[in-house]
Amino acid sequence: QVQLVESGGGSVQAGGSLRLSCEASGYTGGRCMGWFRQAPGKEREAVAAIYLSRSYYADSVKGRFTISQDNTKNTLYLQMNSLKPEDTAMYYCAADLIILRACSFPPQSPAFGNWGQGTQVTVSS
């Protein structure tokens, strides 16, 4: 399977910013790519996804987070601004195994065949 490695997580105070990166071993162009997060005791939820030039954002992060990708570097990004304590979670990068299969909006976990190990984001008040 395609290997995904997340980085960029850390601890930040409310109102701060972080930029998450996801480096893939395979080409990311033309694939549905997404960011998910899971907090302790809660179900994993979709945060953002991107396919070609189209993107999706959960209502809770809309206007604060931006998903982007650099296909020449096989890297997916999530810029997170105005962070809130409720954003605290483990963030996972995910990729569809099949190229040119569009994302479903909102994206669903079973549609993604590859997952990274996650990077922790902690936002303090």
Side-chain angles (χ1 to χ4, degrees):
Q1 295 182 339
V2 176
Q3 299 295 312
L4 303 172
V5 180
E6 301 97 334
S7 62
S11 298
V12 65
Q13 292 188 334
S17 298
L18 287 172
R19 191 190 193 196
L20 306 184
S21 297
C22 171
E23 297 183 2
S25 62
Y27 185 59
T28 56
R31 300 181 187 273
C32 176
M33 304 287 295
W35 287 98
F36 293 76
R37 67 185 182 188
Q38 187 168 25
K42 295 185 177 181
E43 188 176 353
R44 182 175 296 186
E45 63 175 340
V47 176
I50 187 168
Y51 176 73
L52 301 180
S53 62
R54 300 189 296 277
S55 59
Y56 162 86
Y57 297 96
D59 289 341
S60 60
V61 307
K62 195 171 299 181
R64 299 187 297 120
F65 291 10
T66 303
I67 189 171
S68 62
Q69 61 186 8
D70 184 346
N71 294 322
T72 65
K73 298 166 65 175
N74 293 333
T75 302
L76 180 73
Y77 303 98
L78 184 67
Q79 178 66 47
M80 305 185 295
N81 298 326
S82 301
L83 283 163
K84 304 175 181 179
E86 49 263 45
D87 294 319
T88 296
M90 184 72 75
Y91 283 71
Y92 299 91
C93 172
D96 195 340
L97 282 170
I98 302 176
I99 195 168
L100 298 181
R101 181 164 67 181
C103 296
S104 62
F105 293 148
Q108 301 181 47
S109 296
F112 296 85
N114 290 293
W115 294 83
Q117 295 301 304
T119 185
Q120 178 68 39
V121 172
T122 302
V123 184
S124 60
S125 60

